[in-house]
């Protein structure tokens, strides 16, 4: 039986006794006490003390259609009743995985028509790594083994995804990374661009890829993998010159281009995929989170004809998971895509709530002495907390500004994310203008509190 009625203190004691959390320092958490979230509706969640919080992170960048969607509940329930499980191994399939694969092929950019299923973003990335090396071997170029990622790139938490990612604190935990992963810098003009214009800096940042490919030898490089907008790395929106130059370089050296769309996919940037917002034509694409709006775990990889035809002609595909294309997850994802289409959520983000959020954040930044940059597109955004707006000197870990601001926001009923010294936002795509006003007012007062705490107001 579920222990539904326990007090917060009881939950915390039981949690501390048995549960190891993700991306958490248990010592810090146990001083403060775990926040136990018990229910949700729309853009709001409630904790075990009954406090109502506007979830401006859509969980972990994933609850795109908002909480409490009865259609998704019903899709999952009905599927469990008819067929709770079957797999796609050994020449089998279920109607749900077939339908979902064809739906994904419809919403992805033209040409990305062959779909591999997995259960998380990390597994989708591992799937890409295996498929790409398999592809090059089948092409008779087995030396093409190395993957290039970026500093502050986030691609998941398996050992391979950690090695591909560019998160120093994660690398530190493993002590040594897997071989075959290399990194270039991240295209964040505000902190890295110096005296260059954003456009000139974008070209320079992209050309790091060319230098890296030449250093390693194009015959050894399998693929470049990047998020259209780096999410967990701080909502880094590259200058307009960046992606076209990356695309040119990948084509020139026959290096596959992989777009990690785990956050950007399913409307977040105002297109179905971030690749469309930035004009990228990837060979492979990963997706997860918004595919099911987080209601059930599912992820996928979309491949273009060059890659997929080679693999499909290459004999046994010795890859897959027990739950690849799980029918309940597929049924929920099918309905989720239906909701996004019926409610026009992608257009809504592009034309209405996306621009509205970005313009309200710009106002907030102008009024706040500690916000130096607003970056974002669609319904993902970050505010860079700075020591000096004029010199673009950003706050440091010692200032602790983002953590302070995050905690003030939470006390005031708003969940926002502290990423380095920036505040990140990624609300459900269903958020209304009125709810954005509430978000802005709560964030504004958290920024004021933070500025006062830092002696800047
Ligand atoms: N790629 C990208 C671009 C992601 O954002 C993954 C892959 C891995 O997905 P899974 O489902 O394996 O977690 C992600 C996940 C954060 C945070 O700190 C972001 C993610 C996960 C956990 C925390 O903002 N993104």
């Amino acid at each position: 039986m579920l222990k539904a009625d326990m007090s917060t203190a009881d939950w915390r004691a039981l949690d501390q006794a048995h549960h190891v959390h993700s991306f958490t320092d248990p010592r810090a958490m146990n001083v403060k006490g775990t926040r136990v979230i018990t229910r949700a509706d729309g853009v709001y969640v409630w904790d075990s003390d009954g406090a109502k919080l506007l979830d401006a992170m859509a969980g972990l960048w994933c609850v795109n259609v908002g909480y409490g969607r009865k259609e998704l509940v019903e899709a999952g329930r009905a599927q469990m009743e008819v067929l709770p499980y079957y797999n796609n191994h050994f020449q089998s399939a279920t109607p749900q995985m077939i339908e979902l694969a064809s739906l994904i092929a419809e919403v992805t950019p033209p040409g990305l028509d062959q779909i591999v299923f997995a259960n998380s973003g990390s597994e989708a990335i591992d799937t890409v790594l295996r498929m790409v090396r398999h592809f090059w071997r089948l092409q008779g170029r087995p030396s093409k083994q190395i993957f290039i990622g970026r500093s502050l790139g986030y691609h998941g938490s398996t050992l391979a995804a950690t090695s591909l990612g560019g998160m120093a604190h994660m690398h530190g935990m493993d002590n040594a990374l897997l071989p075959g992963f290399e990194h270039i810098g991240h295209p964040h003009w505000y902190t890295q661009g110096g005296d260059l214009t954003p456009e000139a800096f974008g070209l320079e940042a992209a050309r790091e890829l060319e230098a890296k490919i030449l250093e390693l030898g194009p015959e050894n490089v399998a693929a470049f993998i990047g998020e259209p907008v780096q999410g967990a790395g701080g909502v880094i929106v590259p200058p307009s010159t960046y992606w076209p130059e990356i695309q040119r370089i990948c084509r020139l050296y026959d290096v596959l281009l992989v777009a990690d769309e785990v956050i950007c996919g399913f409307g977040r940037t105002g297109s179905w995929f971030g690749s469309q917002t930035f004009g990228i034509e990837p060979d492979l694409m990963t997706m997860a989170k918004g595919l099911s709006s987080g209601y059930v775990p599912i992820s996928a990889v979309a491949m273009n004809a060059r890659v997929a035809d080679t693999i499909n002609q290459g004999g046994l595909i010795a890859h897959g998971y027990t739950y690849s294309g799980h029918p309940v997850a597929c049924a929920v994802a099918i309905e989720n895509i239906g909701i996004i289409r019926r409610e026009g959520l992608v257009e809504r983000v592009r034309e209405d709530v996306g621009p509205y959020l970005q313009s309200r954040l710009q106002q907030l930044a102008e009024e706040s002495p500690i916000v130096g940059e607003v970056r974002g597109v669609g319904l993902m955004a970050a505010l860079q907390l700075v020591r000096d707006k004029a010199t673009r000197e950003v706050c440091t870990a010692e200032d602790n500004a983002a953590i302070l601001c995050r905690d003030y926001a939470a006390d005031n009923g708003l969940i926002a994310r502290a990423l380095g010294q920036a505040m990140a936002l990624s609300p459900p795509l269903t958020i209304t203008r009125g709810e954005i006003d509430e978000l802005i007012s709560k964030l504004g007062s958290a920024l004021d509190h933070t500025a006062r705490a830092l002696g800047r107001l």
Side-chain angles (χ1 to χ4, degrees), residues 274-397:
S275 292
Q276 293 153 324
T277 300
F278 292 92
I280 311 165
E281 292 176 10
D283 298 289
L284 300 98
M285 188 183 252
T286 53
M287 62 201 79
K289 301 179 185 279
L291 171 57
S292 64
S293 287
Y295 277 60
V296 284
I298 183 167
S299 66
V301 175
M303 305 186 289
N304 70 9
R306 181 186 181 207
V307 176
D309 291 352
T310 302
I311 287 172
N312 284 330
Q313 294 300 318
L316 177 71
I317 298 170
H319 177 83
Y321 308 97
T322 301
Y323 299 131
S324 299
H326 192 285
V328 177
C330 287
V332 171
I334 290 166
E335 185 58 28
N336 178 64
I337 292 174
I339 292 175
I340 297 174
R341 280 181 156 168
R342 285 195 298 279
E343 299 183 3
L345 293 180
V346 178
E347 298 74 25
R348 187 167 186 279
V349 172
R350 181 169 58 237
E351 287 154 22
D352 181 9
V353 284
Y356 185 64
L357 175 71
Q358 301 294 343
S359 75
R360 295 296 319 265
L361 288 173
Q362 287 293 348
Q363 278 170 359
L364 207 59
E366 278 156 31
E367 289 156 15
S368 171
I370 59 170
V371 178
E373 181 197 29
V374 179
R375 46 185 191 262
V377 55
L379 279 182
M380 65 191 293
L383 304 181
Q384 182 66 50
L385 305 183
V386 295
R387 287 181 166 180
D388 187 332
K389 287 193 185 201
T391 61
R392 311 202 316 249
E393 186 193 356
V394 301
C395 287
T396 65

Side-chain angles (χ1 to χ4, degrees), residues 106-166:
E106 273 179 32
V107 298
T108 48
L112 290 160
D113 291 339
Q114 293 269 325
I115 312 302
V116 190
F117 286 117
N119 308 288
S120 66
S122 302
E123 283 184 4
I125 286 290
D126 272 40
T127 299
V128 161
L129 303 176
R130 297 201 68 212
M131 292 298 166
V132 165
R133 284 191 178 162
H134 186 43
F135 164 79
W136 285 122
R137 198 178 54 78
L138 292 168
Q139 289 268 316
R141 299 164 80 185
S143 67
K144 278 174 104 54
Q145 290 268 322
I146 301 174
F147 296 97
I148 301 178
R150 294 182 290 183
S151 55
L152 294 182
Y154 187 78
H155 302 288
S157 202
T158 59
L159 186 49
T162 299
S163 304
L164 172 65

Side-chain angles (χ1 to χ4, degrees), residues 22-23 57 59-61 119-125 153-158 161 167 169 226-234 260-264 286 288-289 297-299 417-419 424:
S22 303
F23 289 97
M57 280 308 294
L60 265 180
W61 325 76
N119 308 288
S120 66
S122 302
E123 283 184 4
I125 286 290
Y154 187 78
H155 302 288
S157 202
T158 59
M167 294 293 185
H169 59 301
E227 306 151 74
V229 176
Q230 285 176 258
D260 183 348
E261 295 270 5
V262 166
I263 285 179
C264 292
T286 53
K289 301 179 185 279
I298 183 167
S299 66
R417 181 106 165 66
L419 287 177

Side-chain angles (χ1 to χ4, degrees), residues 21 35 69 98 104 193 212 235 290 299 312 330 406 434:
H21 286 241
R35 172 183 291 136
R69 302 299 300 238
I98 297 171
I104 293 174
K212 182 59 86 178
V235 189
S299 66
N312 284 330
C330 287
R406 178 198 67 190

